[in-house]
Amino acid sequence: MSGSLRLLLAALCLAAALALIAGAGLPERTRANAVVPYTSQAMPVAPEVGALAPPVDGWTVAGKQFSLAALHGSPVIINFWATWCGPCLSEMPLLQSAYIAHRARGLHIVGIDNGEAPAAVLAWQAQFGLTYDLVIDRDGSLASLYRVRGLPSTYFVGRDGLIKRIVYGPLDVASLEATLRELEATS
């Protein structure tokens, strides 16, 4: 088979595939990534902007029970991190400052550690003077549920329980404050 005939056949196959996709459509991302069974009447629960945030339940390193569902009606920042993560190091003071500045308006922050020993997380908490909740994801199930791509990963959840923004990688002051103002204004 000649090279030009192969090229023509490849182009025809590509055109047919594109026509099939255009005709059938692609599934909506939040529905396709739903982490609980999805019905047409329900809002998708997925680690996606516009979907309900997946549940987070566990114990803080301080021994307090934590449940994201209990915070419904409040803006929440969910931050996946680890003590060995360099960018997480730069983020912790930002998150702590944001927590202090916005907690009177209902802001909650939960830092979800990547399965490290409680002693290491407690030492990190003391080193940075962190006063927001820290939960250890012992078996990686929360990171899997949120489809964490790398550390740090941060999910901003509105008062309505919907994910408003996701940041993969370190936060910076300007975008953190802008997102918090948006959460407080719209949710």
Side-chain angles (χ1 to χ4, degrees):
M1 186 183 296
S2 73
S4 58
L5 183 57
R6 279 190 209 149
L7 188 59
L8 177 62
L9 286 175
L12 287 173
C13 287
L14 178 61
L18 290 175
L20 183 63
I21 290 171
L26 293 174
E28 182 183 334
R29 186 175 171 95
T30 54
R31 287 184 169 87
N33 286 325
V35 295
V36 296
Y38 172 75
T39 64
S40 61
Q41 293 82 24
M43 175 66 73
V45 177
E48 297 288 339
V49 172
L52 286 169
V56 175
D57 295 299
W59 293 89
T60 68
V61 292
K64 184 176 92 177
Q65 190 169 12
F66 180 87
S67 173
L68 182 61
L71 301 179
H72 190 79
S74 298
V76 180
I77 297 174
I78 302 169
N79 177 256
F80 287 87
W81 66 283
T83 61
W84 49 261
C85 166
C88 299
L89 174 73
S90 66
E91 222 175 40
M92 289 295 169
L94 296 177
L95 288 169
Q96 179 61 32
S97 294
Y99 179 62
I100 290 169
H102 296 268
R103 69 180 168 197
R105 289 173 283 214
L107 177 67
H108 291 273
I109 297 178
V110 58
I112 301 177
D113 174 78
N114 191 34
E116 297 176 283
V121 176
L122 285 167
W124 185 272
Q125 183 180 36
Q127 178 183 350
F128 289 97
L130 304 177
T131 58
Y132 55 85
D133 290 321
L134 297 177
V135 172
I136 298 175
D137 185 12
R138 295 184 194 283
D139 61 1
S141 60
L142 292 173
S144 178
L145 186 64
Y146 273 79
R147 298 193 176 108
V148 172
R149 299 174 183 174
L151 299 178
S153 290
T154 307
Y155 298 77
F156 294 86
V157 181
R159 295 178 193 278
D160 55 5
L162 299 177
I163 296 175
K164 305 297 185 181
R165 183 171 182 225
I166 302 171
V167 175
Y168 300 110
L171 298 168
D172 62 75
V173 175
S175 66
L176 176 60
E177 285 300 321
T179 302
L180 287 172
R181 282 192 302 275
E182 197 175 299
L183 277 181
E184 291 170 350
T186 61
S187 52

